[in-house]
Amino acid sequence: MIVAEQKKVKEIIDMLGDDFNKLLIAGCGTCVTVSLAGGEREVNSLAEILRTYYANKGRDIEIETLTAKRQCDFEFIDEIEKEIKRNDIILSLACGIGVQHLVERYPKKVVLPGLNTSFYGATTAVGEWAERCIGCGECVLDQYFGICPVARCAKGLLNGPCGGSQNGECEVDPDTDCAWELIYDRGCELDRLEELIEYEPPKDWEVFRDGGPRTLVNEEYHED
Amino acid sequence: MTKSYSKVKNMLDAGHFVVCSELGPPIGSDPDFIRNKAKNLKGYVDGVNVTDNQTAIVRMSSIAAAKIAMEQGLEMIIQVTARDRNRIGLQSDILGASALGLRNVLLLTGDHQTFGKDPGSKNVFELGSVQLIKAVNDMVHEGVLINGDQMDTPPKMFLGGAANPFADPFEMQMIKMQKKVNAGVEFFQTQAIYNMEKFKYWMEEVRKRGIHEQAYILAGILPTRSSKALRMMKKYVAGMDVPDHVIKRMDQAEDKENEGVKMAVETIQQVKEIEGVRGVHLMPVAWEEITPVVVEEASLYPRPEVE
């Protein structure tokens, strides 16, 4: 899923500015709900904080809340057209994709991001997520026994660990596992260590975003 | 034996126990800073590494500093890390360095930028050390770039890589060392040795695999005069192994400079006895002026003359 975290309230308030009376806080019901950043609960709690803030400032601000099923599909943001149109500013608690999709659908509205979109990750503990994929466009998990060195090694090394790995810890952050230690352990378990001697050439980054923003077309379903 | 373009290689090929050292470029653009350091080293060492923005801190470029030092009559080993440049920049720099007459290169992945003073910089690491070695090997020996293009005048370089006897996982590090050899590495410089037992064991494993017969191994020596520096290295420098007895010894020493030289000399004498170690690489951090003293004390002066 896409993991995100909410921007600091002060940053949000500064971003909203003074020139509005009606605010819609729009959550998103998928990834960011699961990563506890932009679901119904977070939408409501941010609304409470902002209502209190503006009340204390003596400002008459109406705050409406909703959570779309998904902000990254027009189908679901069409459903909230009425709410969007009757407010001055839309604060989206979706990932950056949702924010941009709202902008595209409602170009005359001020749509602002309430989250910092972080990474593609998995839930590793309650309230904890860890990066597992960078969307490089050419999956190599088969070669590394199911552990991705592109996403999980701080240097993205494809031919073995750097010289800074000790006791299974990444040199950049002792709380992060060294991806190569994990790959090595898996290789031992599977008795396939000898496969790692093979030279892995530089990756083709053209299929990542280095080739420019990507569009993916599935011909079977695609309609022009 | 045919003499190559690299004096370091010629010395190693001739069977001499080679002495390399390190020269850290300044945070600034004063060429005299390099010239003065170079003068101090002349005659005492066979090759001088110039670090490439070591610990991810901006300094004068390795190639520029190496060129200045070379003009003082030193044989230089440029360092090239894959941290800051993609394949286009890296290959371009190799061509430029060779055109300037620089004939040795240590090819590294590079310290992560979060260790330096620009933790917010974008990391590149498009290639890792093994891929970088393969790329430069193909440039030098095949005259071909990563993209397959041929060049008229290929660079001439003696190719080095790093090896860390103290990093984990041990077996995986060995595999990686073998991969570096397969990719074209001709010499290794190791991480600084304070844990001699571990280093001896590592060399045993290196010999078991015959790596010492496929590439020259130069043992890393880090002379220091400070317990504080030893503690810092133990705690903060990734991939360093500093046993407590080493720190205790420095703590108890009255004349710490003298003790630092003694420790370095002892380490040199010990590694010299290990089969497969073909030289040393001295890397005194913030104490470069001690290199000639260590070389003399270790009875490695004067250096043999080789073309």
Side-chain angles (χ1 to χ4, degrees):
Chain A
M1 82 186 109
I2 293 175
V3 177
E5 64 178 343
Q6 211 174 91
K7 284 181 180 288
K8 292 204 165 55
V9 173
K10 186 180 180 309
E11 189 186 345
I12 291 174
I13 288 166
D14 289 347
M15 192 166 55
L16 291 170
D18 300 324
D19 193 21
F20 72 100
N21 298 107
K22 293 177 172 183
L23 171 68
L24 172 67
I25 304 178
C28 184
T30 48
C31 309
V32 295
T33 292
V34 184
S35 63
L36 307 177
E40 199 177 340
R41 207 179 60 105
E42 291 76 39
V43 166
N44 290 334
S45 99
L46 180 63
E48 272 319 297
I49 293 167
L50 292 180
R51 279 185 193 114
T52 310
Y53 172 82
Y54 290 120
N56 286 343
K57 289 266 162 193
R59 281 184 63 188
D60 185 21
I61 303 283
E62 274 179 46
I63 299 180
E64 188 175 356
T65 60
L66 63 77
T67 298
K69 279 199 185 94
R70 275 208 302 275
Q71 290 190 24
C72 57
D73 261 317
F74 286 136
E75 183 188 345
F76 300 114
I77 55 179
D78 284 347
E79 287 175 4
I80 57 172
E81 183 179 357
K82 239 190 294 168
E83 292 86 342
I84 285 179
K85 292 208 163 152
R86 68 183 173 221
N87 281 283
D88 303 325
I89 293 186
I90 320 304
L91 179 68
S92 166
L93 296 198
C95 68
I97 304 160
V99 176
Q100 293 182 69
H101 227 46
L102 285 178
V103 168
E104 193 171 334
R105 188 52 119 205
Y106 304 104
K108 288 182 181 156
K109 282 285 164 189
V110 176
V111 182
L112 297 172
L115 304 185
N116 291 321
T117 308
S118 304
F119 52 79
Y120 309 151
T123 308
T124 44
V126 177
E128 180 189 285
W129 300 269
E131 187 164 20
R132 289 288 182 265
C133 177
I134 65 160
C136 74
E138 194 174 53
C139 192
V140 293
L141 280 168
D142 56 316
Q143 294 172 62
Y144 300 100
F145 319 131
I147 292 147
C148 181
V150 182
R152 299 179 68 178
C153 166
K155 300 175 184 175
L157 297 178
L158 300 177
N159 282 289
C162 77
S165 164
Q166 274 175 326
N167 309 315
E169 297 166 358
C170 174
E171 67 168 24
V172 170
D173 173 16
D175 293 330
T176 301
D177 292 327
C178 166
W180 274 98
E181 181 85 32
L182 301 175
I183 293 167
Y184 170 77
D185 291 346
R186 283 279 292 159
C188 291
E189 268 171 44
L190 300 169
D191 199 19
R192 286 169 58 190
L193 204 56
E194 73 284 353
E195 291 173 28
L196 296 175
I197 191 81
E198 199 155 315
Y199 172 72
E200 180 65 22
K203 215 169 153 46
D204 175 10
W205 289 106
E206 200 180 355
V207 294
F208 186 54
R209 64 167 320 287
D210 300 271
R214 296 169 284 181
T215 301
L216 195 146
V217 175
N218 184 327
E219 295 296 350
E220 203 178 324
Y221 298 95
H222 186 60
E223 295 164 13
D224 279 325
Chain B
M1 192 172 291
T2 341
K3 292 279 180 268
S4 81
Y5 35 77
S6 157
K7 281 185 200 163
V8 177
K9 181 177 188 314
N10 292 340
M11 283 206 71
L12 287 161
D13 286 348
H16 295 294
F17 190 81
V18 158
V19 180
C20 291
S21 73
E22 208 155 274
L23 191 160
I27 304 177
S29 57
D30 178 13
D32 287 333
F33 179 93
I34 303 290
R35 290 183 189 122
N36 291 334
K37 280 191 172 192
K39 269 181 214 150
N40 188 39
L41 293 169
K42 202 174 170 191
Y44 288 93
V45 293
D46 309 313
V48 180
N49 285 49
V50 183
T51 48
D52 175 12
N53 298 301
Q54 195 177 14
T55 62
I57 290 173
V58 177
R59 289 175 183 277
M60 186 191 291
S61 91
S62 173
I63 293 170
K67 168 70 173 166
I68 294 164
M70 184 177 73
E71 286 166 351
Q72 303 301 304
L74 291 178
E75 170 86 351
M76 302 307 295
I77 303 169
I78 58 165
Q79 293 193 182
V80 174
T81 75
R83 176 191 58 232
D84 310 319
R85 283 155 292 185
N86 66 8
R87 65 185 83 177
I88 300 169
L90 289 166
Q91 293 178 104
S92 158
D93 275 355
I94 293 294
L95 296 177
S98 180
L100 289 172
L102 298 162
R103 293 287 173 252
N104 310 283
V105 60
L106 186 76
L107 299 158
L108 306 161
T109 298
D111 296 318
H112 198 270
Q113 76 279 3
T114 51
F115 289 108
K117 295 180 180 174
D118 296 280
S121 64
K122 195 168 192 317
N123 73 359
V124 182
F125 295 117
E126 187 203 357
L127 308 184
S129 53
V130 178
Q131 293 160 335
L132 179 56
I133 289 161
K134 172 85 164 64
V136 180
N137 174 74
D138 291 353
M139 290 171 81
V140 171
H141 297 291
E142 315 286 335
V144 68
L145 298 171
I146 293 177
N147 63 20
D149 278 1
Q150 292 281 338
M151 65 197 99
D152 296 334
T153 311
K156 293 177 181 149
M157 294 255 177
F158 183 41
L159 307 189
N164 187 355
F166 314 106
D168 294 325
F170 188 86
E171 173 71 17
M172 199 59 236
Q173 294 284 353
M174 278 288 161
I175 291 175
K176 187 166 182 185
M177 197 180 178
Q178 183 65 58
K179 285 173 96 159
K180 287 186 178 182
V181 171
N182 298 349
V185 129
E186 297 166 282
F187 71 97
F188 282 107
Q189 291 178 331
T190 77
Q191 175 64 282
I193 302 156
Y194 283 108
N195 186 340
M196 185 55 68
E197 288 315 303
K198 181 85 185 270
F199 181 70
K200 282 181 178 165
Y201 170 69
W202 180 78
M203 277 303 300
E204 246 178 72
E205 294 294 315
V206 164
R207 288 195 301 273
K208 263 189 211 163
R209 291 163 174 81
I211 296 175
H212 67 305
E213 285 162 349
Q214 302 168 69
Y216 297 115
I217 294 166
L218 310 181
I221 314 285
L222 199 162
T224 183
R225 54 187 156 179
S226 143
S227 309
K228 195 179 150 203
L230 287 168
R231 286 201 175 83
M232 292 284 283
M233 284 188 269
K234 183 184 179 81
K235 205 168 165 194
Y236 297 112
V237 179
M240 287 278 300
D241 182 345
V242 185
D244 291 331
H245 68 84
V246 173
I247 298 172
K248 201 174 157 196
R249 179 172 167 185
M250 186 56 85
D251 275 341
Q252 289 170 348
E254 275 179 30
D255 182 344
K256 295 198 189 303
E257 295 212 352
N258 189 39
E259 197 64 23
V261 172
K262 262 174 74 182
M263 284 162 72
V265 169
E266 281 170 29
T267 310
I268 292 171
Q269 284 162 347
Q270 288 177 55
V271 298
K272 214 169 165 221
E273 297 305 312
I274 300 172
E275 188 194 342
V277 175
R278 299 297 307 276
V280 285
H281 175 54
L282 301 170
M283 36 188 162
V285 177
W287 198 25
E288 281 173 23
E289 65 276 16
I290 204 63
T291 297
V293 179
V294 173
V295 174
E296 275 197 76
E297 294 285 315
S299 311
L300 294 168
Y301 184 81
R303 303 302 310 142
E305 286 291 327
V306 171
E307 291 267 311

